[in-house]
Amino acid sequence: MFIGLAGPTGAGKTTLAHRIAERLKAHLMRDPFVDNPYLPKLYASGKTHPVALTLQVELTFLALRVAQLREIRDLLIHGTPVVADWSMAQQVVFAHTTLPPEDASRVRKTYATWSDAGARPDLLIALTAPASVLARRIAQRGRPMEAALSIAYLEHLARAFDTPLHDYASRIIRLDTSDFNAFNDEDVNALLARLPALERS
């Protein structure tokens, strides 16, 4: 099984992916954001993102994520389940929040062109949380490049993820993490209990 996660910055994707991978004895595939040299520049640019810079960010992410999807496909072929703290839904949603509509549409079409080049999640867990919760978590983890993210931007981002995501996975679970604690075994167990039912449906 391949489980992907989607959601705004600060929703808890990495923490939850780690817990699920641990419980399912799956390979954890981390978002390659640390390998994108343009991302810190984008965050530092504040409210006005230069189009050239946002395009560099999105196209770099596309290359990094397609490469990871191919790696995931190989792991699945050899019988290794995979949990990723990202999905290609991230790619398209973020493009629509940062790029002009015509460029965001081109990113979506480019993703579609490459969609058969790697694995597609069997399940996508789509996380959400209010902007105030996202901001608190971002402050707690203290990444310097995220320091300039505003409440207004996080509200916009959270709304952007509240869209149909069925193009990106066979099954979808939506999860509000404002009242979900990924460090609480009962919460994680309740989520995992929903997986077999999805596999049989």
Side-chain angles (χ1 to χ4, degrees), residues 53-87:
L53 178 58
T54 55
L55 195 56
Q56 288 173 317
V57 168
E58 295 305 332
L59 293 182
T60 300
F61 266 133
L62 181 64
L64 291 168
R65 286 170 172 156
V66 167
Q68 282 199 343
L69 287 175
R70 287 182 165 178
E71 184 179 348
I72 290 170
R73 180 188 58 193
D74 291 342
L75 288 166
L76 295 171
I77 287 172
H78 290 91
T80 302
V82 177
V83 177
D85 68 350
W86 61 275
S87 75

Side-chain angles (χ1 to χ4, degrees), residues 1 3 5 10 29 66 82 92 96 101 108 145 166 198 201:
M1 190 179 199
I3 299 173
L5 277 73
M29 187 67 70
V66 167
V82 177
V92 176
H96 278 278
R108 185 183 184 95
M145 70 176 175
H166 291 281
L198 282 170
S201 63

Side-chain angles (χ1 to χ4, degrees), residues 170-191:
S170 303
R171 301 285 190 275
I172 309 288
I173 289 178
R174 290 192 176 270
L175 182 65
D176 186 341
T177 61
S178 60
D179 56 5
F180 178 93
N181 183 355
F183 294 104
N184 184 301
D185 287 342
E186 291 184 4
D187 284 359
V188 175
N189 288 342
L191 175 61

Side-chain angles (χ1 to χ4, degrees), residues 143-161:
R143 292 175 184 162
M145 70 176 175
E146 295 176 337
L149 297 181
S150 67
I151 287 287
Y153 172 74
L154 294 174
E155 287 174 345
H156 177 60
L157 192 57
R159 287 194 301 270
F161 275 95

Side-chain angles (χ1 to χ4, degrees), residues 16-149:
L16 181 56
H18 179 81
R19 291 299 313 277
I20 294 173
E22 185 179 60
R23 297 291 292 276
L24 298 182
K25 295 180 173 54
H27 179 88
L28 176 63
M29 187 67 70
R30 298 285 299 271
D31 190 304
F33 73 89
V34 295
D35 297 320
N36 191 328
Y38 304 106
L39 188 60
K41 299 176 185 177
L42 181 70
Y43 281 161
S45 66
K47 295 181 180 179
T48 56
H49 303 308
V51 173
L53 178 58
T54 55
L55 195 56
Q56 288 173 317
V57 168
E58 295 305 332
L59 293 182
T60 300
F61 266 133
L62 181 64
L64 291 168
R65 286 170 172 156
V66 167
Q68 282 199 343
L69 287 175
R70 287 182 165 178
E71 184 179 348
I72 290 170
R73 180 188 58 193
D74 291 342
L75 288 166
L76 295 171
I77 287 172
H78 290 91
T80 302
V82 177
V83 177
D85 68 350
W86 61 275
S87 75
M88 290 305 284
Q90 299 287 120
Q91 185 77 50
V92 176
V93 171
F94 270 93
H96 278 278
T97 66
T98 57
L99 289 170
E102 62 274 15
D103 282 342
S105 178
R106 291 185 182 105
V107 168
R108 185 183 184 95
K109 290 175 182 177
T110 304
Y111 153 69
T113 300
W114 285 90
S115 62
D116 62 349
R120 183 173 187 262
D122 302 293
L123 171 67
L124 179 65
I125 303 176
L127 308 185
T128 187
S132 58
V133 174
L134 301 177
R136 185 180 72 246
R137 292 173 179 166
I138 289 168
Q140 286 173 343
R141 68 190 181 195
R143 292 175 184 162
M145 70 176 175
E146 295 176 337
L149 297 181

